[in-house]
Amino acid sequence: MDPNRILIIDYGSQFTQLIARRIREERVYCEIQPPTRTIDWIRDWEPKGIILSGGPSSVYGEDVPTADPELLRLGIPVLGICYGMQLITFLEGGVVERGRREYGRAQITIEEPEGLFEGFEAGEQTTVWMSHGDHVVQPPPGYRIIASTPDLPYAAFRAEKWPVYGVQFHLEVAHTTRGEDMISNFVFRVSGCEPTWTAGSFIDTEIERIREAVGESRAVCGLSGGVDSSVAATLVHRAIGDRLTCIFVDNGLLRLNERETVERTFRRHMGIALEVIDASALFLERLRDVADPEQKRKIIGHAFIDVFEEAAERIGADARFLVQGTLYPDVIESLSVKGPSATIKTHHNVGGLKEEMKFALIEPLRELFKDEVRQVGRELGLPEEMVGRHPFPGPGLAIRVLGSVDPKRVEILQKADAIYLEEIRIAGLYDDIWQAFSVLLPVSSVGVMGDVRTYENVCALRAVTSRDGMTADWFPFPHDVLARISTRIINEVEGINRVCYDISSKPPATIEWE
Ligand code: XMP
């Protein structure tokens, strides 16, 4: 295990994942863990530094997440951000005042250009992002101010005898102009980490870990054709060779000709045993008349496992492991397993699994963000057409045919989507877009075609730019591209007479519609 690692304790801030991203960008490994981790667990994990995130609670509230005061005496550097700083204050005998919200940019003055502020000038002013309800009005004994604002004398402090820091502002968000310098100072100067976290080091460690976990058994991997499962499968294949069997399930909810494309790409590039199962009838039957998105996800997740279990039985009793391409945002967004952040949707691979499964899961990408997975894919030598593919959700078109799903509606959407993506590729925009797809709305609209009144489906187009799927902006298509796409869809896809373009960002919208 890489000894250079930072532990982030999540008190429920919407920015916790950003802290993790910023640290990974510095090429240092980090993990987000809940406040319920015991002091022994933390000691055993041996972090070089610990960050206490922000959060919605108030330190004087009831049943609020807290920390063992001993955490501040381990000799391991600690940085409290917002709620994290207030928690340090509370635990160490200072005073926090409730209320008096502050939200937006503020100018701090650096009072002590050392440690966290190494490389700054004394008296320098720098812009930071504030987002807090409570704030520190009296630092604990033995703490000194290292930055202030006219309204907030204790914008940042540090303990005199221990490597413990607190900042009231959010240094992890881009609006804090020199936030990266502060994070880098904490990680390298204060905590003494080395930048050792690279795709190559990840691959070596992970292959070893998989080998150990699987032992002499066999594993099956559900391939979707997307970058995540392809990278996961390749890693496991490197670890256990032909004891891995990949299964590609045609669930009837794929993009047009997807099955053929995936078969071709995988057989050619990966040299991994691949079994293709047509289970479309089963999936579509189970989804009949189901309109609720969460229900759809559960049904699909369970059906996948049923199909896998049956296939695994054919493969042999020692196929005890199931490989999944679950990513870090899936883990955090789905179940909030690692802290009190509110569950947004129980989606992705994680939420959709059956509780009683015959398989043990192998999720080699569980701690990675999408762009890191792409780096790992490239390092593993996967072709660019695979590594650069837009993400495609596990439940496929079932969550893009809004409302209840039937084969006819899936077919209409497949055709519209194929035209949309083809035109995006022709326009040379595919790689500028994080994800582009069409959605079939559960409304009909009136149109006129060749003097005849039509009453048909509405198709919404979505295209977003994003770094990691956590936040996203809608893509500003040139109008002529939009015009071509719309004309072609309406002319060529029977059943659609209206096309709309979705101009919502995430947040407050999500990328998918369901
Ligand atoms: P949202 O809609 O939450 O999507 O903004 C963020 C990213 O996650 C993908 N997504 C899913 N992937 N199973 C998946 O495997 C799902 O149930 C699921 N729902 C959303 C979405 O396509 C986007 O890339």
Side-chain angles (χ1 to χ4, degrees):
M1 271 260 242
D2 191 334
N4 293 296
R5 48 210 165 121
I6 299 283
L7 177 65
I8 301 164
I9 301 187
D10 177 23
Y11 289 94
S13 163
Q14 53 175 327
F15 301 132
T16 303
Q17 287 195 59
L18 271 183
I19 306 173
R21 284 204 55 84
R22 295 285 167 268
I23 295 174
R24 298 273 185 94
E25 279 163 11
E26 300 287 347
R27 299 183 29 208
V28 171
Y29 184 70
C30 61
E31 272 188 28
I32 301 175
Q33 294 287 341
T36 45
R37 288 292 180 203
T38 62
I39 202 78
D40 288 336
W41 187 95
I42 293 172
R43 215 184 267 116
D44 287 351
W45 201 76
E46 292 183 36
K48 284 210 164 165
I50 300 171
I51 294 184
L52 313 180
S53 84
S57 313
S58 175
V59 285
Y60 299 121
E62 267 175 46
D63 289 332
V64 293
T66 183
D68 188 326
E70 213 190 310
L71 184 81
L72 307 174
R73 296 288 175 270
L74 293 175
I76 301 171
V78 175
L79 169 63
I81 300 176
C82 198
Y83 180 76
M85 178 198 208
Q86 294 152 17
L87 193 57
I88 294 171
T89 307
F90 174 71
L91 295 172
E92 298 272 78
V95 182
V96 174
E97 188 180 74
R98 296 182 84 155
R100 219 156 64 98
R101 285 169 46 84
E102 187 181 9
Y103 186 78
R105 287 185 174 80
Q107 291 284 321
I108 57 164
T109 304
I110 306 292
E111 316 237 330
E112 193 185 87
E114 289 165 32
L116 200 60
F117 299 131
E118 183 92 32
F120 289 71
E121 302 282 325
E124 177 179 336
Q125 295 215 326
T126 182
T127 305
V128 299
W129 183 256
M130 295 285 184
S131 173
H132 60 95
D134 301 357
H135 65 277
V136 175
V137 287
Q138 187 187 314
Y143 278 71
R144 58 192 293 163
I145 304 171
I146 54 172
S148 59
T149 76
D151 294 338
L152 212 59
Y154 312 110
F157 64 36
R158 74 167 173 88
E160 279 163 359
K161 292 206 185 118
W162 306 92
V164 176
Y165 291 80
V167 291
Q168 186 55 74
F169 54 89
H170 288 272
L171 43 66
E172 67 277 26
V173 306
H175 307 305
T176 296
T177 322
R178 294 191 62 189
E180 275 171 29
D181 293 335
M182 299 173 198
I183 290 205
S184 150
N185 277 340
F186 180 73
V187 169
F188 298 119
R189 290 177 192 274
V190 178
S191 305
C193 286
E194 303 277 335
T196 47
W197 167 252
T198 60
S201 69
F202 168 82
I203 291 169
D204 295 343
T205 319
E206 207 48 40
I207 288 178
E208 215 33 63
R209 212 189 286 188
I210 296 165
R211 237 176 235 149
E212 215 167 274
V214 178
E216 292 306 308
S217 305
R218 304 180 65 87
V220 287
C221 174
L223 269 190
S224 69
V227 57
D228 308 340
S229 60
S230 310
V231 172
T234 311
L235 268 173
V236 177
H237 189 240
R238 290 260 174 106
I240 63 166
D242 60 10
R243 281 181 291 126
L244 168 71
T245 304
C246 287
I247 298 173
F248 178 76
V249 179
D250 181 350
N251 58 9
L253 303 161
L254 304 171
R255 280 170 291 203
L256 197 67
N257 302 326
E258 179 76 353
R259 176 168 156 186
E260 294 74 13
T261 313
V262 168
E263 263 192 281
R264 229 182 9 249
T265 324
F266 280 90
R267 295 233 153 93
R268 189 182 320 142
H269 285 293
M270 301 181 58
I272 300 174
L274 173 67
E275 191 181 326
V276 177
I277 301 173
D278 183 353
S280 44
L282 173 92
F283 279 82
L284 290 169
E285 179 51 37
R286 289 196 189 175
L287 284 171
R288 193 205 294 256
D289 299 328
V290 179
D292 177 62
E294 293 290 283
Q295 273 298 101
K296 288 185 194 175
R297 283 191 167 84
K298 285 220 166 69
I299 290 171
I300 293 167
H302 291 192
F304 263 120
I305 297 295
D306 289 344
V307 174
F308 282 137
E309 282 182 346
E310 214 187 294
E313 259 163 42
R314 285 197 303 275
I315 291 163
D318 54 349
R320 292 198 299 112
F321 292 90
L322 175 66
V323 181
Q324 288 219 325
T326 314
L327 302 193
Y328 207 18
D330 307 343
V331 173
I332 296 164
E333 267 196 28
S334 295
L335 296 176
S336 285
V337 287
K338 294 196 167 180
S341 312
T343 299
I344 299 166
K345 306 182 194 175
T346 60
H347 67 47
H348 311 287
N349 303 321
V350 194
L353 293 179
K354 288 205 296 195
E355 267 146 37
E356 285 171 35
M357 266 198 325
K358 287 186 198 155
F359 294 112
L361 283 183
I362 301 188
E363 297 176 311
L365 315 178
R366 226 187 135 76
E367 306 294 348
L368 299 192
F369 293 98
K370 191 89 180 183
D371 47 352
E372 293 174 325
V373 174
R374 291 200 162 113
Q375 276 170 30
V376 169
R378 290 192 180 103
E379 184 83 18
L380 286 167
L382 294 181
E384 198 52 40
E385 70 190 73
M386 193 184 280
V387 176
R389 288 192 101 184
H390 289 178
F392 185 68
L397 300 187
I399 53 165
R400 294 177 179 173
V401 170
L402 305 193
S404 54
V405 181
D406 64 57
K408 180 73 197 148
R409 291 180 72 73
V410 171
E411 196 188 325
I412 292 175
L413 184 60
Q414 280 175 330
K415 288 183 179 157
D417 202 54
I419 294 172
Y420 184 33
L421 288 174
E422 188 182 312
E423 286 297 331
I424 288 175
R425 284 206 170 87
I426 291 171
L429 298 173
Y430 188 85
D431 292 336
D432 297 342
I433 294 171
W434 161 269
Q435 203 171 9
F437 57 89
S438 342
V439 179
L440 197 65
L441 305 190
V443 289
S444 298
S445 88
V446 173
V448 54
M449 275 178 130
D451 297 334
V452 180
R453 179 184 183 279
T454 60
Y455 191 52
E456 305 266 34
N457 291 289
V458 181
C459 166
L461 306 177
R462 182 91 164 123
V464 294
T465 53
S466 175
R467 240 167 105 181
D468 48 27
M470 301 304 301
T471 57
D473 289 313
W474 55 275
F475 182 73
F477 272 118
H479 287 188
D480 59 323
V481 177
L482 278 180
R484 232 177 357 259
I485 293 166
S486 159
T487 308
R488 276 197 63 197
I489 291 178
I490 293 171
N491 283 345
E492 294 175 36
V493 183
E494 206 175 312
I496 292 181
N497 68 354
R498 193 176 292 264
V499 172
C500 307
Y501 187 54
D502 180 351
I503 50 169
S504 332
S505 297
K506 172 185 182 175
T510 49
I511 295 177
E512 302 288 345
W513 278 48
E514 281 196 337

